[in-house]
Amino acid sequence: MLYSSVISERFRHPRFFGDLVGADAVFEDVNPLCGDRVRIQLRLADGSIADARFKGDSCAICMASADLLAEMARGRAIRDALAWGPDDLLTRLQANIRPSRMNCVTLPLQVMKGALAAVRAAR
Amino acid sequence: MTLAERCRADFPILERRINGNPLVYLDSAASSQKPRQVIDAVRRYYETTHANVHRSIHTLGEEATALLEASRDKVRAFIGAAEREEIIFTRGTTEAINLVAQAIGRTIKPGDEVVVTEMEHHSNLIPWQMLCRDRGAVLKAVPVIGDGFLDLEAFSRLLSSRTRVVAVAHVSNVLGTINPVGEIVKRSRAAGALVLVDGAQAVPHMPVNVEGLGADFYAFSGHKMLGPTGVGVLYGRRAVLETLEPAWGGGEMIKEVWIDHAQWNDLPWRFEPGTPPIAPIVGLGAAVEYLSGVGMEAVASHEQALCRLTLDLLAKNGDVTIYGPRNPEIKGAVVAFNVRGLHPHDVAHLLDQEGIAVRAGHHCAMPLMRRLGVVGTLRASFSVHTTPAEIEHLARSLSNLNLML
Ligand SMILES: Cc1ncc(COP(=O)(O)O)c(C=O)c1O
């Protein structure tokens, strides 16, 4: 197996891929290395992330990372989510990621933080 | 013995193993590997000759200058330029194009137009975007149609008396399309426009004669044609170079200097400010000699055969989509493709496990990716050392991918 069973499984069967009805925070960005695009939609309630979905045309690592992140974010305080770093994802992905592919792991995290920042700026 | 069998022994890097497998290097279009002859020329230069060029009145300086200028003569002959003054050394294709964009830029007025194409590498697009933005000029792009050809009727409609520059790739770095540069030059000239040809993917793989093509400028990189990194060439037609102000200032490009003005040096040095990349230029001379020794007609037919084999084998795989012309006779030494359900980066990563190096991504051609409707593609590209067995290995590995991810 190339990456890890977690990545393989989430890439083949993502659980949180799609559109989120009634999202209050939406953001998307591009990985300059490969042009991959990830879009994250969040529904917020009382300082927490009530629900999360992602979309994008991207590699297995990035898909798995986004899917994992959406799962992690659901039900968590915004404050907690803002504190997550790459290691929080890497340990759960259980994969040895090469430096050249680290952007694929971190792009969804940046996009989620971008969505939260956009909401904060709007308020 | 085939051409590849003869050449392979010249490339020390082919002895490397990658993840336990012999290296199968199918990424020469991004940067080619170097034959021993080039590596030796650079090493010999540093071990026996190095000094600054042009301004040193000592033996080493004179020898270094002679070597650099000898490379210029080799390059001139290799691309069929009329005069050595038309060969300007740069750091690469990108710098060559920026040089032209900045030098011509001084003469561009608001409302003037620049024509590029949808298949350009970013390095033949962004410098023109910046020029148009700075000078209030208008940028237009020739559409890509069919299997990856320029829409020449649309091109003619884009040309007008306002067109100042037409910038086009000789060979697309993704589709492999060999563009009809002669025809493009003819129509551009009739409209009064200058033509810059990006030859980065042409010079390494087929005979090129700049006089025959008639272009005003022709740019290419040393590192894609078996030479070192850090050196490129801008060919400029003398009559045009003489009308242009230098793009950049510095040492070497002047004859006489006062505190408030200066007199420019002669061609080609007028466009070569500062200490040039001497060792890479010497290495480029060796690369040109190597390619001339093999013969560019032979290189072109060798790579055409590999292209045909790649197209045939990949077409048998129902999960593979091929981009670009299907006829290897009108194609350079690259084949772009995708594998259904898999991202190009994942495929490249999987192939790397087998020792196979291919390029994956947008290939610095995002507008073309948009036109193809993909985020990226894989690309296999060939050189003198590439063998049919390596292409078969690629095709076999592609059939087994799904089991590996
Ligand atoms: C068609 C084309 N133009 C320009 C370039 C840029 O060349 P360099 O990066 O050597 O300046 C490349 C190389 O990637 C290319 O393939």
Side-chain angles (χ1 to χ4, degrees):
Chain A
M1 191 163 302
L2 182 62
Y3 305 121
S4 69
S5 54
V6 177
I7 291 181
S8 200
E9 170 62 22
R10 285 194 184 265
F11 165 64
R12 285 175 203 282
H13 310 290
R15 297 161 224 181
F16 301 96
F17 186 92
D19 281 314
L20 184 59
V21 195
D24 355 53
V26 181
F27 198 68
E28 71 176 54
D29 206 352
V30 172
N31 184 343
L33 172 75
C34 52
D36 282 2
R37 186 175 286 275
V38 169
R39 176 186 172 87
I40 289 192
Q41 296 175 288
L42 304 172
R43 196 152 50 73
L44 306 176
D46 303 330
S48 289
I49 299 170
D51 205 353
R53 289 284 184 285
F54 79 99
K55 261 196 149 163
D57 194 352
S58 58
C59 68
I61 298 176
C62 190
M63 287 277 275
S65 172
D67 196 53
L68 170 68
L69 185 67
E71 182 174 286
M72 284 164 63
R74 295 169 86 231
R76 290 297 290 265
I78 292 175
R79 203 175 343 100
D80 294 347
L82 284 172
W84 288 333
D87 284 344
D88 295 287
L89 293 167
L90 285 171
T91 48
R92 291 175 175 83
L93 289 172
Q94 293 168 26
N96 216 340
I97 304 289
R98 289 185 191 185
S100 64
R101 304 295 299 274
M102 272 306 290
N103 274 338
C104 314
V105 176
T106 55
L107 179 65
L109 194 59
Q110 285 162 23
V111 170
M112 183 196 72
K113 290 185 181 180
L116 293 172
V119 171
R120 187 175 292 174
R123 283 191 180 150
Chain B
M1 232 206 244
T2 66
L3 187 153
E5 282 162 2
R6 260 183 289 125
C7 291
R8 284 184 79 78
D10 295 329
F11 289 79
I13 205 164
L14 296 178
E15 282 155 31
R16 266 212 65 173
R17 296 180 79 83
I18 304 289
N19 296 314
N21 295 298
L23 167 65
V24 175
Y25 190 74
L26 298 176
D27 198 18
S28 295
S31 196
S32 66
Q33 298 299 348
K34 318 305 172 199
R36 211 180 294 279
Q37 289 82 342
V38 168
I39 300 167
D40 286 349
V42 172
R43 203 195 44 236
R44 210 176 319 117
Y45 167 75
Y46 276 130
E47 286 179 355
T48 66
T49 315
H50 175 70
N52 210 332
V53 288
H54 298 309
R55 51 196 125 162
S56 317
I57 311 296
H58 52 65
T59 303
L60 292 184
E62 284 175 358
E63 285 179 10
T65 304
L67 281 176
L68 182 145
E69 294 301 334
S71 280
R72 199 187 306 276
D73 291 326
K74 290 176 196 169
V75 169
R76 183 206 65 73
F78 188 63
I79 61 167
E83 304 178 38
R84 69 189 319 279
E85 287 79 7
E86 299 180 316
I87 305 299
I88 297 163
F89 287 120
T90 66
R91 272 75 184 166
T93 306
T94 302
E95 191 184 79
I97 296 170
N98 275 282
L99 189 165
V100 175
Q102 297 201 9
I104 294 183
R106 301 220 167 86
T107 72
I108 298 280
K109 292 182 288 300
D112 283 352
E113 294 179 0
V114 175
V115 175
V116 295
T117 85
E118 279 183 346
M119 66 168 83
E120 294 313 307
H121 188 283
H122 294 163
S123 80
N124 198 24
L125 172 60
I126 307 295
W128 305 112
Q129 273 184 10
M130 293 167 77
L131 162 66
C132 289
R133 183 198 63 195
D134 291 349
R135 308 294 296 192
V138 180
L139 187 64
K140 300 193 161 168
V142 183
V144 171
I145 53 173
D147 276 343
F149 300 100
L150 293 179
D151 183 343
L152 289 184
E153 283 173 29
F155 171 58
S156 285
R157 287 195 300 274
L158 291 179
L159 287 173
S160 76
S161 59
R162 290 183 301 277
T163 313
R164 297 289 312 283
V165 184
V166 174
V168 59
H170 194 171
V171 173
S172 159
N173 66 317
V174 179
L175 305 163
T177 316
I178 302 174
N179 288 317
V181 169
E183 180 62 27
I184 288 170
V185 168
K186 203 166 87 196
R187 294 190 199 178
S188 304
R189 187 147 300 152
L194 294 171
V195 181
L196 177 139
V197 177
D198 172 354
Q201 296 297 347
V203 175
H205 304 292
M206 58 200 236
V208 168
N209 184 292
V210 291
E211 278 284 307
L213 289 172
D216 299 289
F217 302 100
Y218 195 98
F220 54 101
S221 294
H223 71 96
K224 294 185 196 285
M225 52 188 289
L226 316 185
T229 55
V231 59
V233 174
L234 173 66
Y235 156 85
R237 215 150 51 78
R238 184 182 197 124
V240 179
L241 289 179
E242 278 174 348
T243 65
L244 290 178
E245 288 279 295
W248 304 300
E252 293 305 348
M253 49 79 69
I254 39 69
K255 266 200 177 135
E256 213 178 342
V257 178
W258 295 264
I259 210 67
D260 61 348
H261 69 286
Q263 191 195 348
W264 306 144
N265 201 346
D266 297 332
L267 293 175
W269 306 289
R270 188 188 301 175
F271 292 98
E272 294 179 351
T275 300
I278 309 167
I281 290 172
V282 171
L284 176 59
V288 163
E289 265 180 359
Y290 186 90
L291 285 171
S292 305
V294 177
M296 289 312 292
E297 292 285 355
V299 171
S301 56
H302 160 72
E303 290 172 359
Q304 214 174 78
L306 293 168
C307 209
R308 184 184 304 278
L309 180 64
T310 310
L311 291 168
D312 287 351
L313 291 180
L314 294 192
K316 289 189 187 136
N317 184 333
D319 287 330
V320 169
T321 306
I322 297 169
Y323 306 97
R326 301 309 143 87
N327 178 358
E329 275 150 39
I330 49 169
K331 204 168 156 77
V334 304
V335 176
F337 60 96
N338 266 327
V339 181
R340 194 208 326 255
L342 291 176
H343 189 278
H345 276 182
D346 293 325
V347 177
H349 209 132
L350 287 160
L351 292 173
D352 182 63
Q353 300 300 303
E354 310 262 301
I356 303 174
V358 296
R359 186 83 160 171
H362 53 62
H363 314 292
C364 295
M366 283 185 168
L368 178 61
M369 293 298 117
R370 225 164 272 133
R371 162 64 68 167
L372 297 175
V374 296
V375 285
T377 75
L378 290 140
R379 179 186 71 188
S381 55
F382 321 123
S383 187
V384 289
H385 51 71
T386 312
T387 64
E390 291 179 310
I391 304 296
E392 283 155 14
H393 185 21
L394 168 73
R396 227 178 305 118
S397 302
L398 285 171
S399 315
N400 298 327
L401 280 184
N402 254 312
L403 307 172
M404 293 168 64
L405 188 71

